């Protein structure tokens, strides 16, 4: 859709909304919030298709005013959470697909470095994973159960501990962006090297498939979402390095908010990954077909929600068929 057509289609509701805000019209907080959700959808669309335009600047300013008015008076509702994950975030995230690709490539390169380093020097894995973990895994291999470490501890305790730890890692990857993209890049790089070294350790002992069909049960979502959390940190970090038409302060605040949205979106997926690791991964004797079904279903879920669904939803919105 051309920018002129986009403006013509929506300008009346924008003007009405702006008047309601600036004139302090008597409008219920819930009704105001509904208009705000529609406005943020328009803003996300403009950020994707009309970057650096006056339309984007206007919508950004209007959204800021609306946000202050709504969240100083309105209590959150259950529907607001559903709307965020079902509509608001996917519409918003499309604009960051390119950054997600760059983040993935950085992680993939780091993983390749971990693989190459461990292939050429098997002791490299001790430097990365630590002697205690390597020695325990070697003992498990000798006892015929290479992934026995995932059976230690109670199911509920493992679920809670892993979930909390993964969310902590995600927040750390995001927060590192406050020292520009270099901070988050380092977190992604170190985790990628660790992943490469970890699987090559099993490869060197002819146990790659056996380890993979167990570890990727939870690791598919866990690793994918850590990369997405890294994308959040890179968004914030780049807002400092590349403010574009904004002042550096305004650009940083915008990048921080955008990154925080991305991190929040990952929480349900970390819970799923923690559940799988706590209650399912320990049963590594399950049939191969069942393990592969869980792994590929997990991968499909991530790809659909973060890549395919935002594209579909934005196309529906551009065609005028979207309704929140």
């Amino acid at each position: 859709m051309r920018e002129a057509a986009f403006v013509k289609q929506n300008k009346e509701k924008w003007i009405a909304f702006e008047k309601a805000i600036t004139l302090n019209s008597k409008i219920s907080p819930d009704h105001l919030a509904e208009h705000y959700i529609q406005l943020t959808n328009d803003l996300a669309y403009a950020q994707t298709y009309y970057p650096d335009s006056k339309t984007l600047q206007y919508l950004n300013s209007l959204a800021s005013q609306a946000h202050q008015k709504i969240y100083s008076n309105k209590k959150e509702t259950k529907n607001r959470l559903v709307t965020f994950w079902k509509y608001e975030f996917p519409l918003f995230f499309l604009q960051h697909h390119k950054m997600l690709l760059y983040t993935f490539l950085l992680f993939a390169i780091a993983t390749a470095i971990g693989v190459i380093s461990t292939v050429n020097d098997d002791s490299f894995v001790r430097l990365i994973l630590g002697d205690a973990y390597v020695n325990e895994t070697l003992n498990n291999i000798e006892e015929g159960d290479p992934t026995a470490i995932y059976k230690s501890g109670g199911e509920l305790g493992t679920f809670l501990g892993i979930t909390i730890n993964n969310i902590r890692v995600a927040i750390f990857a995001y927060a590192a962006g406050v020292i520009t993209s270099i901070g988050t890049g380092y977190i992604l790089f170190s985790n990628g090297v660790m992943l490469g070294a970890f699987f090559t350790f099993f490869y060197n002992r002819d146990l790659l498939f056996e380890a993979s069909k167990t570890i990727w049960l939870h690791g598919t979502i866990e690793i994918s979402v850590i990369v997405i959390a890294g994308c959040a940190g890179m968004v914030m970090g780049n807002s400092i390095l590349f403010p574009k038409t904004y002042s550096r302060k305004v650009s940083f605040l915008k990048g921080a908010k955008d990154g925080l949205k991305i991190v929040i979106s990952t929480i349900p997926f970390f819970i799923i990954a923690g559940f799988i690791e706590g209650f399912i991964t320990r049963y590594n004797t399950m049939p191969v077909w069942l393990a592969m079904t869980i792994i590929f279903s997990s991968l499909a879920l991530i790809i659909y929600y973060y890549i395919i669904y935002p594209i579909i939803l934005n196309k529906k919105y551009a065609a005028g068929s979207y309704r929140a």
Side-chain angles (χ1 to χ4, degrees), residues 26-298:
K26 292 183 178 179
I27 180 172
S28 70
D30 288 335
H31 193 52
L32 188 64
E34 290 177 7
H35 285 292
Y36 175 68
I37 291 171
Q38 187 65 51
L39 176 65
T40 56
N41 293 339
D42 291 339
L43 176 60
Y45 187 82
Q47 287 173 326
T48 302
Y49 296 103
Y50 319 119
D52 304 322
S53 67
K54 291 184 178 180
T55 301
L56 177 58
Q57 293 176 13
Y58 168 74
L59 291 176
N60 191 53
S61 174
L62 184 57
S64 297
Q65 295 177 54
H67 185 277
Q68 293 176 2
K69 186 175 180 65
I70 292 170
Y71 292 99
S72 61
N73 298 303
K74 179 181 178 292
K75 294 182 179 179
E76 291 293 335
T77 64
K78 293 180 180 178
N79 287 340
R80 176 71 180 84
L81 294 176
V82 173
T83 300
F84 173 80
W85 270 286
K86 189 174 181 180
Y87 298 113
E88 184 179 334
F89 176 78
L91 283 166
F92 150 83
F93 189 62
L94 181 65
Q95 65 185 296
H96 295 301
H97 271 184
K98 186 177 291 185
M99 181 56 66
L100 178 61
L101 174 61
Y102 295 152
T103 304
F104 170 76
L105 290 176
L106 173 61
F107 189 83
I109 291 170
T111 302
I113 291 174
V115 170
I116 294 170
S117 299
T118 308
V119 166
N120 293 324
D121 181 4
D122 195 49
S123 65
F124 179 76
V125 73
R126 291 184 176 273
L127 176 65
I128 300 300
L129 300 178
D131 288 332
Y133 181 88
V134 172
N135 290 336
E136 183 177 356
T137 303
L138 287 173
N139 289 334
N140 291 335
I141 291 173
E142 290 179 2
E143 293 173 3
D145 192 355
T147 57
I149 194 169
Y150 295 101
K151 299 178 182 178
S152 60
E155 294 177 342
L156 181 60
T158 300
F159 162 58
L160 294 175
I162 291 296
T163 300
I164 292 171
N165 180 68
N166 287 340
I167 293 174
R168 180 188 64 80
V169 171
I171 293 175
F172 187 49
Y174 161 67
V178 78
I179 53 175
T180 74
S181 305
I182 296 173
T184 298
Y186 174 77
I187 300 298
L188 287 169
F189 188 84
S190 59
N191 277 273
V193 171
M194 186 182 300
L195 180 69
F198 178 77
F199 279 103
T200 308
F201 171 74
F202 288 103
Y203 170 79
N204 287 342
R205 288 157 182 79
D206 298 322
L207 294 168
L208 180 61
F209 179 76
E210 184 176 349
S212 295
K213 75 180 180 65
T214 299
I215 297 164
W216 283 116
L217 287 171
H218 61 272
T220 301
I221 292 180
E222 184 178 292
I223 297 300
S224 298
V225 183
I226 286 176
V227 172
I228 292 165
C231 174
M234 298 292 275
V235 167
M236 178 166 65
N238 279 3
S239 71
I240 301 172
L241 295 174
F242 311 108
K244 297 183 179 178
T245 58
Y246 298 100
S247 68
R248 202 169 297 276
K249 178 181 178 181
V250 171
S251 178
F252 169 69
L253 291 175
K254 180 180 180 299
K257 289 179 181 178
D258 285 358
L260 185 59
K261 278 186 178 182
I262 298 172
V263 171
I264 291 173
S265 79
T266 66
I267 293 176
F269 295 96
F270 276 128
I271 293 173
I272 294 172
F275 178 85
I276 293 174
E277 185 165 356
F279 293 93
I280 298 177
T281 300
R282 63 183 60 240
Y283 299 107
N284 59 355
T285 56
M286 70 175 68
V288 173
W289 68 264
L290 180 57
M292 293 299 107
T293 298
I294 295 173
I295 291 169
F296 284 105
S297 296
S298 298

